[in-house]
Amino acid sequence: MKILGIVLILAGAFMFFSNSISFTTKEKVVDAGPIQINAEKQHKVDWPSYAGGIVAATGVVLLIFSKKK
C-alpha cells in the first residue's frame, strides 16, 4: 500500500502541473503487397487540474492508513 500511495502522489503531482498528455500512433492505411502506406495519428488526453490534486490526496490518505497497520 505504501508503494501505491507514493505512485499516486507522484502521478497526482504530474497531473496537477500538466493538463494533458499527447502521443502518436501509426496505422496502416494501405497494405498491397510491397506497397505500404502508413498514417500517423495524434491523440491527446486532457484532464482538469483538480484531478491531480484528488489523485495526490488519495495517495496521501493511503500512506497515512498504511502506517497505522
Side-chain angles (χ1 to χ4, degrees), residues 18-59:
S18 174
N19 292 333
S20 65
I21 189 169
S22 61
F23 58 94
T24 305
T25 59
K26 289 186 178 181
E27 295 180 357
K28 282 188 181 178
V29 178
V30 175
D31 187 10
I35 299 173
Q36 292 183 357
I37 300 175
N38 294 326
E40 291 184 357
K41 259 189 174 176
Q42 282 207 338
H43 303 279
K44 188 174 182 182
V45 179
D46 295 321
W47 54 79
S49 60
Y50 63 83
I54 293 171
V55 171
T58 304

Side-chain angles (χ1 to χ4, degrees), residues 1-13 15 50-66:
M1 287 293 251
K2 289 181 184 180
I3 294 174
L4 179 62
I6 292 170
V7 168
L8 285 175
I9 291 171
L10 293 175
M15 288 175 67
Y50 63 83
I54 293 171
V55 171
T58 304
V60 170
V61 168
L62 278 176
L63 278 179
I64 291 171
F65 285 124
S66 68

